[in-house]
Amino acid sequence: MDFITPSLELVTDKQHLVLLPACGMALWTLLCLVYMALRRNIALMKRQVSIKYYRNYDTASEPAWLNVIGQHIENLFEAPQLFYAVTIGMFATQTVTSSSVTLGYAYLGARILHTVVHCGSNNVTHRFVAYLASTVVLVVMWVQLTLRLVAL
């Protein structure tokens, strides 16, 4: 339980630090979007996919390697939304501690690792471990915020 609430000592003059990992996550998502656009354009130029596919997404399909990138982008718009919410919640309620900031960076690192595995080797076991790590960190952050709010 000490890891979840190691201390209620707030980082009073540096509340904004909890937002930096969230900014990193947003930047990472944008970089992944650019990567997907580049890979799709290369696939179009090499005629590995037809432009007709992108009109309605209902004819033919993308090559599997390209489809994985699209699936990963969708994933970056799912669970990370809870990360943005918890960091903004901590900032808004001024309940940021040094462990909050550390956990934020741990989440960002786990999500970057998840991207590298998913869009690289796509080893399902390694991908699951990275995803599980990020989920555990996210749960701990929400428990911390909840406990701090109850203590206010």
Side-chain angles (χ1 to χ4, degrees):
M1 191 70 166
D2 283 359
F3 180 70
I4 294 173
T5 56
S7 140
L8 289 178
E9 190 173 323
L10 302 177
V11 185
T12 53
D13 59 338
K14 302 211 180 192
Q15 292 287 307
H16 68 282
L17 292 178
V18 78
L19 298 175
L20 292 177
C23 290
M25 188 72 226
L27 179 60
W28 184 251
T29 300
L30 293 171
L31 288 172
C32 287
L33 285 166
V34 168
Y35 175 71
M36 180 180 67
L38 290 172
R39 295 301 302 220
R40 282 182 171 173
N41 279 303
I42 290 169
L44 284 167
M45 288 188 293
K46 291 183 174 182
R47 300 188 192 281
Q48 295 173 324
V49 67
S50 169
I51 191 74
K52 292 178 185 178
Y53 172 73
Y54 295 110
R55 286 197 182 111
N56 298 318
Y57 292 92
D58 64 355
T59 60
S61 66
E62 288 182 310
W65 62 268
L66 194 51
N67 187 267
V68 167
I69 298 169
Q71 289 173 347
H72 188 72
I73 295 297
E74 288 177 22
N75 188 268
L76 287 173
F77 285 96
E78 293 170 352
Q81 305 315 310
L82 292 171
F83 173 67
Y84 298 130
V86 76
T87 57
I88 292 168
M90 289 176 174
F91 177 76
T93 59
Q94 297 186 338
T95 56
V96 177
T97 65
S98 57
S99 69
S100 313
V101 177
T102 301
L103 286 166
Y105 282 110
Y107 183 83
L108 175 60
R111 292 305 307 203
I112 290 172
L113 180 60
H114 182 259
T115 299
V116 170
V117 173
H118 197 180
C119 296
S121 69
N122 202 13
N123 180 299
V124 176
T125 302
H126 295 159
R127 193 173 88 206
F128 175 74
V129 169
Y131 187 83
L132 180 63
S134 70
T135 301
V136 167
V137 169
L138 190 57
V139 167
V140 171
M141 291 180 79
W142 274 103
V143 169
Q144 281 187 346
L145 175 60
T146 302
L147 292 175
R148 289 184 194 124
L149 290 176
V150 168
L152 289 179

